[in-house]
Amino acid sequence: MQTTDRENKYITRDAEGFYRWTYEVDSRKNHSLLNLYLLIFGLIVLIPGAILFFMIFGNKRYLSGAGAYLLIWMAIFVGVELLTFLIYKAVEKLQGGVSVIPYLMGPDFLAVHPGTKMAPRAYIQMDFSQVKDVTLDKESDLILLHEPLRVTHVYVPKEDLPFVLNYILDRVPQSDKIKKRKEAFGKDLKG
């Protein structure tokens, strides 16, 4: 399905022809950022803990201390998740419950927080040619672009979601998976 330059409600086109928009994530209603942070910090604890567990207790002769290790490991995991939640809620309260995320979209790429000097270009910009899969979380106004080593979160206002989804699907490599996604997203692409 081809994208057209129809009138978008929140997305504007700049002088260079790039599409720009800003999305305000209301964290009191939209928990996708909290879930992402909990996942990231959970994996930071679980993966090294699992590796260490198998290094220490991989040999059956040394299983006697495994229960205590698992108990400590789970306590650390719960503590990190609780701390993540509390810090997130504190930052949420300081920001009034809203995180503002600007986007820039061109024919070959999409950038999150464009123009920032605090992150390298490879971190804020993803090329459509690297996308292997596209998923949609309509409840959170979120398009997920799956690349080999990362997932880019693209928040789009509901009214403009069909336009951005079409634009992205028209520019990513047209694999069988993407063709199936286009069929599955049928009504979401029409707007």
Side-chain angles (χ1 to χ4, degrees), residues 27 31-45 75-93:
S27 54
H31 302 289
S32 59
L33 285 177
L34 175 60
N35 294 340
L36 175 66
Y37 295 141
L38 290 172
L39 174 68
I40 290 169
F41 289 107
L43 290 175
I44 287 172
V45 171
I76 292 170
F77 173 74
V78 169
V80 166
E81 291 293 281
L82 182 61
L83 189 60
T84 301
F85 179 80
L86 293 173
I87 291 171
Y88 180 84
K89 288 298 182 180
V91 170
E92 174 187 277
K93 191 169 188 100

Side-chain angles (χ1 to χ4, degrees), residues 21-37 88-89 91-93 95-103 112-113 137 139-143 153-157:
W21 72 94
T22 301
Y23 188 88
E24 294 182 357
V25 180
D26 185 350
S27 54
R28 293 168 292 210
K29 298 175 187 168
N30 186 337
H31 302 289
S32 59
L33 285 177
L34 175 60
N35 294 340
L36 175 66
Y37 295 141
Y88 180 84
K89 288 298 182 180
V91 170
E92 174 187 277
K93 191 169 188 100
Q95 292 180 336
V98 175
S99 298
V100 178
I101 306 173
Y103 290 93
V112 182
H113 294 286
D137 178 0
E139 299 288 319
S140 300
D141 303 333
L142 178 61
I143 300 170
H153 291 66
V154 183
Y155 290 94
V156 185

